[in-house]
Amino acid sequence: MALQLQLPRPPPLRLAGVRLSILLPSPAAPPRGDSASAPATALRARFGGVAFSLQTNVRLLKPNRRVRRSRDPYYDLDEDDDEEEFEDEEDDEGYDSEDDMSGLEYPGVLYSNSPHAPSKRPGLQTPFLIKEKWEGRQPKTRDKYGSLEKNKFLHPRNKVGRSSTDITNMDSEVELKNERISRSMFQKLQEEYDFDDKWLPLVDYLCTFGLKESHFTYIYERHMACFQISQASAEERLDFLLNSGVKSKDMKRILVRQPQILEYTLSNLKAHVDFLVSIGVPSTRIGQVISSAPSMFSYSVEQSLKPTVRYLIEEVGIEESDVGKVVQLSPQILVQKIDIAWKSRSLFLSKELGAPKDSMVKMVTKHPQLLHYSIEDGILPRINFLRSIGMRNSDILKVLTSLTQVLSLSLEDNLKPKYLYLVNDLKNEVQSLTKYPMYLSLSLDQRIRPRHRFLVSLKKAPKGPFPLSSFVPTDERFCQRWAGTSLEKYHTFRQSLLLKDFAENSGKKTLVSRR
């Protein structure tokens, strides 16, 4: 009778912030059919049973996300322009395998943290037995009785119930920038999560950018590895971004969306900024591009960003001198699968409207967000609306070539009300839009209606169709050329009109709610 000895699994070792998992051979491990396990098996054999696993959790911008434009009250913004401060995505399957990790602070160290870091809240404990895959995942396991087991090694120090006196003693030698805020917040984070004492200086520094407890919790659960960075290194990186033009008020949004930016080396950050300058982005707009697409730093300049620019020039047809302008208008274009986006939309517009390539190149140059819009839910419904009001394909093509952002405007809240005001109040034909497509981009409440009614009140509105050209100039030029009155008088009229419309709309809403 053969005697079998089962060796206990040792706990994971921790060395300088890196957790090593000792992989012992299973007595009767069945062969795996997963082909993806072959590289992991080879690496285990190569490194003597010790494997590292990575959890960098690089977040990429959604390819259909639009760039935020300036909130000029006279122009309508893109539909669905409001963004949440941060979004919680439950998996990493959308991440691009071509992300460049060479710029990380520790490119040779692969962390084995769970994608969702451990919490001390009841019911959120992590199982004890960990069968680590190469990707660093930690599936749930059960003991021999079928019960979930707790992993006490994920919580090496029990900080629950730590008093404020302990926190004071812990950082007595650390000079804090936001002492009152960071100490109380850090105590809460330690009570709920396994925040290490040495993370306090970094947390305190990041508080200067307005990060709150919910932000640190979100970053910790999604990318705990960034807390391994020292406060001095983080300050060096963020100071570089601030000096490059990133506004301090935008730093919180960048850190929450792309916390890995704390890990990227200074040389990596400089290489990406130099790339933006090389393609024609002015130094005054570098910060805006970074704020809009911070995930750009996770892409290799040579293997990803430069090939994207070459594709825009050689395949799409963008002039090299216009590339900087295109990136300013839509920074996300650098991290989008541009070949798929261009081919699908150019083919659709060619078949649907007979659009030649030069017209489509003009559209992308003026409004590169076109490459982010959904064909079925965005582009086609707006084309069909323009057809429904009597426009021919050739007219629609003229409008879209001149004002491509029409494809981003809401049908119910924007295009339809402006069309009704055009034909009912301004007494214009729909064909007038081919000559003045800008009408569709102007604000109905802030510019079109006030100017029309102001001229009517002055009895200076021309008979017949109201001239759409009166909506084009600035307020000052409009008062001089069309109204013949002072700018202050027009602004007073417009303000009273806005207040009147607001009161009427509020009354209608109140009446509807009572019903």
Side-chain angles (χ1 to χ4, degrees):
M1 176 176 171
L3 188 61
Q4 294 184 351
L5 294 178
Q6 185 172 2
L7 296 177
R9 288 180 179 268
L13 302 178
R14 292 184 180 269
L15 180 60
V18 183
R19 191 181 66 176
L20 305 180
S21 299
I22 306 301
L23 302 176
L24 296 179
S26 177
R32 294 186 179 180
D34 188 0
S35 60
S37 63
T41 304
L43 285 165
R44 291 188 185 99
R46 181 179 176 182
F47 292 105
V50 179
F52 298 91
S53 58
L54 173 64
Q55 182 56 37
T56 55
N57 199 8
V58 178
R59 295 196 65 203
L60 301 182
L61 286 179
K62 294 182 180 179
N64 60 351
R65 176 165 292 171
R66 306 181 189 134
V67 64
R68 297 178 71 87
R69 294 187 284 135
S70 62
R71 294 189 175 274
D72 188 335
Y74 300 146
Y75 291 86
D76 284 320
L77 302 180
D78 292 354
E79 183 182 8
D80 302 331
D81 197 35
D82 293 330
E83 296 181 16
E84 294 183 3
E85 204 164 88
F86 57 88
E87 301 171 355
D88 187 6
E89 297 179 4
E90 293 299 328
D91 54 50
D92 311 334
E93 295 177 0
Y95 302 150
D96 199 322
S97 60
E98 297 178 357
D99 291 348
D100 181 25
M101 300 302 163
S102 61
L104 291 177
E105 171 75 357
Y106 310 112
V109 177
L110 304 181
Y111 298 94
S112 57
N113 300 321
S114 171
H116 297 279
S119 168
K120 291 187 175 182
R121 287 179 289 182
L124 294 181
Q125 291 89 348
T126 308
F128 171 66
L129 271 174
I130 302 177
K131 296 179 180 179
E132 289 194 345
K133 296 182 181 179
W134 180 246
E135 295 83 7
R137 301 286 187 179
Q138 298 175 352
K140 294 180 179 180
T141 58
R142 299 179 181 271
D143 60 16
K144 63 181 180 179
Y145 300 106
S147 303
L148 287 174
E149 296 182 310
K150 299 178 182 179
N151 184 0
K152 61 183 178 182
F153 300 110
L154 289 178
H155 308 286
R157 293 175 304 279
N158 183 11
K159 300 185 183 68
V160 178
R162 183 186 290 270
S163 64
S164 58
T165 304
D166 296 329
I167 298 293
T168 304
N169 294 335
M170 177 189 67
D171 57 24
S172 58
E173 299 181 358
V174 178
E175 182 179 353
L176 302 179
K177 302 177 184 294
N178 298 275
E179 183 172 351
R180 182 181 61 83
I181 298 175
S182 58
R183 281 181 176 172
S184 59
M185 179 193 301
F186 197 77
Q187 184 179 6
K188 293 179 181 179
L189 292 170
Q190 286 196 314
E191 290 174 353
E192 187 170 355
Y193 293 89
D194 192 32
F195 268 54
D196 197 300
D197 296 345
K198 61 186 178 183
W199 296 351
L200 175 58
L202 176 62
V203 171
D204 172 71
Y205 169 66
L206 296 181
C207 283
T208 62
F209 297 105
L211 269 72
K212 300 179 181 178
E213 181 181 350
S214 59
H215 300 128
F216 288 110
T217 299
Y218 178 82
I219 294 173
Y220 178 80
E221 291 181 339
R222 300 299 298 173
H223 192 73
M224 189 176 72
C226 70
F227 288 103
Q228 306 287 344
I229 302 301
S230 68
Q231 182 265 338
S233 296
E235 188 168 358
E236 180 184 41
R237 287 151 177 75
L238 300 190
D239 280 348
F240 173 78
L241 295 180
L242 292 171
N243 292 331
S244 298
V246 175
K247 296 181 180 179
S248 182
K249 66 182 181 65
D250 294 332
M251 195 63 75
K252 177 177 69 174
R253 184 163 168 264
I254 292 175
L255 290 168
V256 173
R257 288 175 57 187
Q258 191 76 9
Q260 298 92 327
I261 210 163
L262 295 172
E263 300 175 82
Y264 298 142
T265 61
L266 197 58
S267 60
N268 178 62
L269 300 179
K270 288 180 178 178
H272 285 74
V273 170
D274 291 343
F275 164 75
L276 293 177
V277 174
S278 70
I279 62 175
V281 178
S283 58
T284 55
R285 302 295 296 274
I286 294 291
Q288 180 183 344
V289 173
I290 294 174
S291 300
S292 299
S295 62
M296 170 191 67
F297 291 108
S298 68
Y299 288 82
S300 168
V301 172
E302 298 296 331
Q303 298 178 13
S304 181
L305 301 184
K306 287 185 177 180
T308 296
V309 170
R310 282 198 299 269
Y311 188 90
L312 287 173
I313 297 173
E314 297 172 3
E315 300 297 330
V316 178
I318 303 294
E319 294 291 335
E320 187 173 356
S321 58
D322 290 331
V323 171
K325 172 188 172 184
V326 169
V327 172
Q328 292 176 64
L329 292 173
S330 180
Q332 291 85 357
I333 204 170
L334 292 174
V335 297
Q336 185 183 10
K337 292 187 180 297
I338 195 67
D339 54 340
I340 299 175
W342 163 251
K343 289 177 181 177
S344 60
R345 284 151 186 80
S346 60
L347 180 62
F348 170 80
L349 292 173
S350 177
K351 288 185 176 181
E352 195 74 16
L353 299 176
K357 184 176 180 179
D358 61 334
S359 294
M360 290 185 284
V361 171
K362 290 179 181 178
M363 293 182 197
V364 175
T365 303
K366 293 180 179 180
H367 194 71
Q369 293 89 341
L370 167 67
L371 299 178
H372 309 324
Y373 298 155
S374 166
I375 294 176
E376 293 78 11
D377 300 327
I379 301 176
L380 183 58
R382 285 150 183 81
I383 290 178
N384 287 337
F385 167 74
L386 295 177
R387 285 171 175 162
S388 70
I389 62 177
M391 296 186 73
R392 298 169 296 180
N393 285 348
S394 58
D395 297 330
I396 297 173
L397 182 59
K398 288 181 181 178
V399 171
L400 295 184
T401 303
S402 177
L403 194 74
T404 315
Q405 57 261 43
V406 167
L407 297 173
S408 71
L409 301 178
S410 169
L411 288 173
E412 298 298 330
D413 300 331
N414 200 312
L415 294 179
K416 289 182 180 180
K418 288 176 185 176
Y419 164 71
L420 293 176
Y421 197 85
L422 177 75
V423 296
N424 295 333
D425 296 80
L426 302 179
K427 310 300 180 183
N428 268 254
E429 298 292 334
V430 70
Q431 283 72 24
S432 60
L433 294 178
T434 59
K435 187 176 181 180
Y436 293 102
M438 181 182 286
Y439 170 85
L440 294 173
S441 70
L442 301 175
S443 172
L444 181 60
D445 295 328
Q446 295 279 355
R447 178 174 289 197
I448 297 174
R449 186 182 288 116
R451 289 193 181 185
H452 171 237
R453 293 190 179 180
F454 186 59
L455 291 183
V456 170
S457 69
L458 296 175
K459 296 183 180 180
K460 292 186 177 182
K463 296 181 179 180
F466 191 85
L468 301 187
S469 57
S470 63
F471 301 127
V472 176
T474 62
D475 285 350
E476 187 175 3
R477 293 288 302 275
F478 166 75
C479 291
Q480 293 174 354
R481 179 179 177 183
W482 296 92
T485 186
S486 67
L487 182 63
E488 182 181 1
K489 185 175 181 180
Y490 168 65
H491 283 172
T492 302
F493 176 86
R494 185 178 65 191
Q495 186 66 21
S496 63
L497 181 63
L498 291 173
L499 291 174
K500 181 181 178 181
D501 291 342
F502 176 77
E504 291 179 355
N505 293 333
S506 300
K508 291 179 181 179
K509 291 180 179 179
T510 303
L511 182 61
V512 171
S513 62
R514 288 178 179 177
R515 290 179 180 177

